[in-house]
Structure formats: C-alpha cells, structure tokens
Amino acid sequence: QVQLVESGGGLVQSGGSLRLSCAASGTFFRIDTMGWYRQAPGKQRELVAAFISGDSTNYATSVKGRFTISRGSAKNTVYLQMNSLELEDTAVYYCNAVLWANSYWGQGTQVTVSS
C-alpha cells in the first residue's frame, strides 16, 4: 500500500553533515505521520524526528539543535538534515509513515560516524 525508499546514508567524520531523503509512494490519500527512526547495534529502535500532525514536529532530545526534519513540496518526501554528527549517531536510519493506524517502514540506510 505504501512504499518508502530512503537514501543519503554513508560514512562521515564526526562534526560532519549528511542529508537523508525518504520518498513515499503507493496507493493512499494521506499520510498521518511521517518521520525518522534509528537503531544502533544492540539498541532499541528510537524516534529521531517526526511530523506528528500538520506541521508540528517532534525530536529526540539527543538531536535537537543538530537535526532538522522537513518535507518536500509535494509532501510525499521527507528529509532529515543531520549536522554536527557525533559517534553516538551511528545507526541504521529508517523512514516511517503511518496511515489508518498502520506503520510502514523503509529498508533503512546506514549512517556511520567516525572519529
């Protein structure tokens, strides 16, 4: 019903920046929420940033002031601008969309921050 495709992950040095992209496609009328999660090795998946309702956003405390979530003009694309990356940001980042109480996930993109 909904397909999510992420891109933009890679290897970056501490203090550097990356911009992740997620494009949603499929048969749907609207997406209730859309955002980014991440999962580090041995850790639970956690919310990074998301649009909750309308243009309201929610960020993990650890990324506030460094990461910015935004939408494309068509509103079927979401971005995550990541600045001042830290070693602790290393994880697989997943795009997530929710509609009609169902969650859909992208394949994930690896972000590795090196010293």
Side-chain angles (χ1 to χ4, degrees):
Q1 190 172 13
V2 177
Q3 295 82 46
L4 305 174
V5 179
E6 302 124 316
S7 63
L11 176 65
V12 64
Q13 288 188 323
S14 179
S17 298
L18 284 174
R19 184 175 177 86
L20 306 183
S21 300
C22 175
S25 63
T27 304
F28 57 88
F29 294 106
R30 68 165 188 160
I31 295 176
D32 296 313
T33 67
M34 198 167 185
W36 292 93
Y37 290 71
R38 68 185 181 187
Q39 187 168 22
K43 302 292 185 179
Q44 298 182 36
R45 189 173 298 184
E46 64 174 349
L47 172 71
V48 178
F51 288 101
I52 301 173
S53 62
D55 292 325
S56 297
T57 56
N58 187 33
Y59 291 91
T61 301
S62 60
V63 307
K64 287 182 178 179
R66 300 188 298 119
F67 291 10
T68 304
I69 189 170
S70 61
R71 289 194 182 103
S73 59
K75 298 190 182 300
N76 66 338
T77 304
V78 66
Y79 304 96
L80 184 68
Q81 179 66 45
M82 304 184 292
N83 298 326
S84 301
L85 283 161
E86 304 169 353
L87 296 177
E88 293 76 14
D89 296 318
T90 295
V92 177
Y93 285 70
Y94 297 91
C95 182
N96 170 256
V98 177
L99 71 163
W100 296 304
N102 294 115
S103 290
Y104 300 87
W105 298 91
Q107 79 284 359
T109 184
Q110 177 71 48
V111 172
T112 302
V113 183
S114 64
S115 61

